[in-house]
Amino acid sequence: MRYICFVLFVVILYSSSATAQGPASNFSEILYNPGTLKAIDSRLKVQAGDEAPDFQLPSLGGGVKSLRDYRGHSNVVLSFVPAAWTPVCSGQWPGYNIAERKFRQSETVLLGITVDNIPTLHAWVEHMGGLWFDVLSDFWPHGETAAKYGVLRSDGTTERALVYINKEGIITAIQVVDINVRPPLEDVFRELEKFAASSGK
């Protein structure tokens, strides 16, 4: 019996050590690198001044989120990113953690959207150390929300895009950037300041 316990102890110790020193210990080593992609591979279906298409998407935090949930009391920024477990996306969203106060001051909600399913998003966000904003899954029907906005790419992923929507549900700005590049945080701050100014803050 003692021998069996000893063997189990060694196995557990070895497994823990291997996990700590293996590939999973370095986040960047487990990310999938798709290489350089075509900068923009879609055509927008909306523009500033349009009413933002509504959607209902499952949230990583539980339940379903709809754009109309925020009508009348919060501005909204939709952050579409191509795919979980990729390098640029894994740097972009955690980068918004330092901007949380700016979003709240401008009465703005940030919603992250990808075409990945909830289990994939759960593992990814946990590995990134968590995010303060809601992450939504546009997995099924696949990319339906991204398609409404015209940011669904031909390979089934989405563009790297930011859509700014005021409290009345009107799009005030859209930014679609090179899929290989993280959008500058200064651009986000500039749009948030416009929201704050319109609220008299």
Side-chain angles (χ1 to χ4, degrees):
M1 183 67 180
R2 288 181 179 176
Y3 176 76
I4 294 174
C5 290
F6 175 77
V7 170
L8 285 173
F9 172 77
V10 171
V11 169
I12 292 170
L13 185 64
Y14 176 80
S15 298
S16 300
S17 175
T19 300
Q21 298 174 10
S25 64
N26 189 339
F27 188 36
S28 62
E29 290 180 5
I30 63 173
L31 297 178
Y32 172 71
N33 189 346
T36 302
L37 302 171
K38 182 178 178 182
I40 297 175
D41 184 30
S42 64
R43 180 173 294 182
L44 282 172
K45 295 181 181 176
V46 292
Q47 60 185 350
D50 289 351
E51 183 174 352
D54 195 22
F55 54 77
Q56 289 187 310
L57 293 174
S59 167
L60 185 56
V64 172
K65 294 289 183 180
S66 172
L67 187 58
R68 65 175 171 267
D69 294 340
Y70 306 98
R71 185 72 64 90
H73 57 85
S74 294
N75 305 300
V76 177
V77 176
L78 305 180
S79 175
F80 290 94
V81 296
W85 299 102
T86 55
V88 180
C89 301
S90 298
Q92 181 182 346
W93 278 2
Y96 294 142
N97 283 343
I98 64 172
E100 179 180 2
R101 185 175 178 184
K102 196 82 169 175
F103 275 89
R104 297 194 187 282
Q105 287 176 335
S106 62
E107 299 178 348
T108 304
V109 170
L110 176 61
L111 299 175
I113 303 176
T114 83
V115 294
D116 302 283
N117 60 29
I118 289 292
T120 297
L121 290 174
H122 171 77
W124 183 44
V125 170
E126 285 290 307
H127 217 89
M128 287 191 290
L131 300 169
W132 65 269
F133 53 89
D134 273 319
V135 174
L136 311 181
S137 170
D138 193 15
F139 178 71
W140 193 258
H142 188 81
E144 182 177 60
T145 296
K148 285 182 183 178
Y149 284 81
V151 294
L152 186 66
R153 292 171 65 89
S154 61
D155 63 358
T157 61
T158 69
E159 299 292 356
R160 194 174 307 284
L162 292 162
V163 183
Y164 300 85
I165 304 163
N166 66 21
K167 294 177 184 178
E168 289 70 47
I170 304 301
I171 296 172
T172 60
I174 304 171
Q175 184 182 17
V176 181
V177 302
D178 184 332
I179 196 172
N180 306 290
V181 178
R182 191 189 312 179
L185 200 53
E186 313 87 78
D187 293 349
V188 177
F189 285 165
R190 185 167 53 249
E191 295 302 326
L192 292 181
E193 285 167 4
K194 291 178 184 177
F195 282 150
S198 67
S199 299
K201 295 205 169 187

